[in-house]
């Protein structure tokens, strides 16, 4: 096993670990890996990567997201978003000052688009000046001026990921509701152009072309276009036609814990931390997505970094409990209190039938699952 395999096969994540590496950061990663292998409950290492939700707000309503039009989906009707949901620069600076010299990267998004935050450029610069790699993932469907694009390029951002669901507006808008592909392409072209003008290596630009059966015919043309533009990496993968809330607890059956194994069955509690805009901490960005912004206290927070500190939360009793849980899921048989934790029911450590809720774009067409409603927005067809 190596660090690259732990964080997935993409060059993007690998770059977060090795770019701008220092002896201290390397030692921190080595300690983290050692304690992961040893299933330590309390870790001497700091989070290697922090995902920071600087704002959960978004400008479009993608079909897969918690921002999607509810159209009768009760879980989506419960989502609460407002303009006050932004992390202040002073709060953000507290986080960066604490992890400086230890963590290797910050990724500034979770359930929103980071370009919604008015101080994004300053936040990128703060992390960059602290020697930390900075990543954002955006739909990039904004009418950005040349001036705004130049500021992004010179902000200190080290990795820009742009999600694209097709080259033609007709196909792109089926899943990126309210988005405009002409804005996306214009912004991409100018980022790469201004980066060349300034003689910069960064930000590295990655396009994620998300495949569906309705946009397969545009994949190769898209790859050629992005190569011509100067994009560094094009990643293609099949998108999902279900919604994030279709994978929330209660939507599927939990059969029981997976058998204990030699290594922990999830790396998140050992290597990364998800911080929400208000300082609340949850252990990952892949589970309970539909419960985080419902206006009720059911987010299963592990603590708040603005009330204590990252270090205190990272080795709190709740975090140590989760490390013990993912290291030995069968503990649930004797410790029923684990049923109240964030990780209870997660398919990474439990046998479930969550797959029945998946609607992957490789297996389903858009037309099988959606109709276009009176307002021109997709409406999910009720299951048979």
């Amino acid at each position: 096993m190596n660090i690259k395999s732990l964080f997935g096969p993409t060059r993007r994540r690998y770059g977060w670990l090795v770019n701008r590496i220092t002896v201290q950061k390397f030692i921190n990663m080595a300690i983290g890996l050692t304690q992961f292998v040893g299933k330590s409950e309390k870790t001497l290492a700091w989070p290697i990567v922090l995902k920071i939700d600087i704002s959960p707000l978004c400008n479009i309503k993608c079909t897969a997201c918690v921002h999607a039009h509810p159209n009768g989906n009760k879980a989506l009707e419960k989502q609460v978003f407002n303009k006050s949901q932004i992390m202040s620069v002073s709060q953000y600076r507290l986080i960066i000052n604490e992890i400086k010299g230890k963590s290797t990267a910050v990724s500034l998004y979770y359930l929103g688009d980071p370009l919604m935050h008015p101080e994004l450029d300053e936040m990128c610069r703060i992390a960059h000046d602290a020697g930390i790699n900075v990543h954002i993932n955006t739909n990039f469907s904004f009418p950005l001026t040349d001036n705004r694009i130049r500021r992004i390029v010179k902000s200190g951002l080290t990795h820009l990921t742009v999600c694209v669901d097709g080259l033609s507006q007709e196909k792109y808008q089926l899943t990126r509701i309210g988005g405009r592909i002409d804005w996306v392409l214009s912004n991409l072209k100018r980022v790469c152009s201004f980066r060349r003008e300034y003689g910069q290596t960064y930000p590295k630009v990655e396009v994620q072309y998300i495949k569906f059966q309705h946009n397969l015919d545009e994949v190769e043309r898209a790859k050629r276009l992005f190569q011509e533009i100067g994009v560094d990496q094009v990643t293609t993968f099949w998108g999902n036609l279900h919604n994030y809330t279709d994978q929330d607890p209660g939507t599927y059956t939990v059969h029981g814990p997976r058998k204990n194994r030699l290594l922990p069955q999830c790396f998140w509690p050992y290597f990364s931390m998800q911080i929400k805009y208000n300082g609340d901490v949850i252990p990952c960005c892949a589970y309970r997505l539909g419960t985080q912004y419902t206006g009720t206290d059911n987010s299963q927070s592990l603590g708040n970094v603005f009330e204590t500190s990252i270090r205190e939360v990272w080795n709190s009793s709740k975090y140590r409990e989760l490390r013990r849980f993912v290291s030995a899921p069968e503990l649930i048989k004797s410790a029923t209190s684990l049923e109240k934790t964030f990780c209870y029911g997660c398919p990474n450590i439990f046998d479930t039938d969550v797959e029945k809720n998946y609607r992957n774009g490789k297996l389903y067409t858009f037309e099988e699952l959606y109709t276009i409603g009176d307002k021109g927005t997709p409406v999910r067809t009720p299951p048979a």
Side-chain angles (χ1 to χ4, degrees):
M1 175 175 289
N2 55 51
I3 291 177
K4 184 176 180 179
S5 68
L6 285 175
F7 284 83
T10 65
R11 286 180 291 155
R12 176 192 71 191
R13 293 191 179 99
Y14 188 50
W16 294 358
L17 304 183
V18 300
N19 295 339
R20 310 178 80 200
I21 191 68
T22 65
V23 172
Q24 189 175 2
K25 292 177 186 176
F26 179 80
I27 291 172
N28 184 63
M29 287 192 288
I31 293 172
L33 181 59
T34 299
Q35 300 207 291
F36 173 81
V37 173
K39 296 184 174 180
S40 301
E41 293 178 22
K42 186 174 183 179
T43 177
L44 297 174
W46 288 74
I48 295 172
V49 176
L50 275 79
K51 286 183 67 71
I52 305 175
D53 189 22
I54 58 175
S55 175
L57 305 181
C58 195
N59 60 319
I60 62 177
K61 297 181 177 295
C62 302
T63 52
C65 188
V66 294
H67 291 279
H69 291 287
N71 291 321
N73 182 321
K74 295 189 185 312
L76 290 176
E77 289 173 353
K78 295 177 182 178
Q79 303 301 310
V80 177
F81 297 102
N82 59 70
K83 293 181 180 180
S84 69
Q85 294 170 312
I86 61 171
M87 181 181 290
S88 71
V89 172
S90 59
Q91 290 173 322
Y92 174 78
R93 196 185 297 273
L94 289 174
I95 295 172
I96 299 302
N97 286 343
E98 190 174 356
I99 64 172
K100 180 179 179 179
K102 299 175 280 284
S103 300
T104 65
V106 291
S107 186
L108 306 183
Y109 80 103
Y110 172 39
L111 291 174
D113 194 293
L115 283 170
M116 295 293 290
H117 198 296
E119 308 297 337
L120 173 62
D121 299 348
E122 184 176 355
M123 290 174 153
C124 290
R125 175 54 58 187
I126 289 169
H128 181 273
D129 289 349
I132 299 171
N133 295 315
V134 193
H135 168 255
I136 66 170
N137 187 309
T138 175
N139 61 64
F140 229 21
S141 179
F142 294 81
L144 303 179
T145 64
D146 282 356
N147 218 18
R148 182 71 187 91
I149 295 287
R150 289 180 186 276
R151 294 203 308 272
I152 291 172
V153 172
K154 296 186 73 68
S155 68
L157 178 67
T158 53
H159 188 171
L160 169 67
T161 299
V162 177
C163 297
V164 175
D165 291 17
L167 279 190
S168 63
Q169 181 64 23
E170 177 186 11
K171 297 180 179 182
Y172 174 82
Q173 68 187 5
L174 290 178
T175 48
R176 299 281 169 180
I177 314 307
R180 287 182 49 171
I181 190 61
D182 58 334
W183 287 351
V184 177
L185 297 179
S186 172
N187 294 337
L188 269 171
K189 290 174 183 177
R190 287 179 291 155
V191 163
C192 294
S193 175
F194 293 150
R195 185 181 62 173
R196 285 192 299 271
E197 178 184 324
Y198 295 135
Q200 294 181 193
T201 303
Y202 298 107
K204 295 293 185 183
V205 181
E206 174 197 13
V207 170
Q208 290 182 345
Y209 189 99
I210 302 174
K211 296 187 294 184
F212 299 95
Q213 292 185 37
H214 58 262
N215 68 14
L216 281 181
D217 61 319
E218 297 179 342
V219 173
E220 293 307 316
R221 183 158 59 92
K223 287 181 179 179
R224 290 193 298 271
L225 173 62
F226 296 137
Q227 184 177 22
E228 292 169 5
I229 289 174
V231 166
D232 299 288
Q233 178 185 350
V234 179
T235 305
T236 62
F237 55 88
W238 287 99
N240 289 318
L241 290 167
H242 58 261
N243 188 268
Y244 292 160
T245 60
D246 294 329
Q247 301 172 75
D248 280 341
T251 64
Y252 56 87
T253 303
V254 178
H255 298 300
R258 294 183 181 273
K259 292 185 180 299
N260 297 344
R261 296 176 183 170
L262 182 62
L263 294 174
Q265 296 184 42
C266 180
F267 66 80
W268 271 92
Y270 285 92
F271 296 109
S272 191
M273 173 187 279
Q274 174 69 63
I275 302 175
K276 294 166 65 177
Y277 80 95
N278 61 359
D280 283 348
V281 172
I282 54 176
C284 81
C285 67
Y287 186 47
R288 297 184 184 269
L289 278 72
T291 66
Q292 297 308 309
Y293 292 106
T294 60
T296 58
D297 188 21
N298 62 349
S299 67
Q300 302 282 52
S301 170
L302 304 182
N304 187 290
V305 297
F306 300 145
E307 295 173 1
T308 56
S309 68
I310 292 172
R311 192 65 184 171
E312 288 178 85
V313 175
W314 186 234
N315 271 319
S316 65
S317 59
K318 289 184 177 181
Y319 244 114
R320 294 200 303 270
E321 183 177 50
L322 290 191
R323 293 190 187 108
R324 185 166 66 250
F325 197 4
V326 302
S327 296
E330 290 181 297
L331 280 173
I332 191 71
K333 295 177 181 178
S334 57
T336 55
S337 62
L338 293 173
E339 293 180 5
K340 299 179 181 180
T341 65
F342 183 97
C343 298
Y344 179 76
C346 175
N348 276 348
I349 59 175
F350 282 87
D351 289 318
T352 74
D353 65 353
V354 68
E355 293 86 356
K356 70 182 175 60
N357 296 344
Y358 294 165
R359 297 294 183 271
N360 186 267
K362 186 176 183 178
L363 303 176
Y364 292 85
T365 66
F366 181 87
E367 292 75 17
E368 286 179 284
L369 301 175
Y370 290 89
T371 58
I372 302 301
D374 295 337
K375 297 181 180 179
T377 59
V379 178
R380 178 81 172 267
T381 305

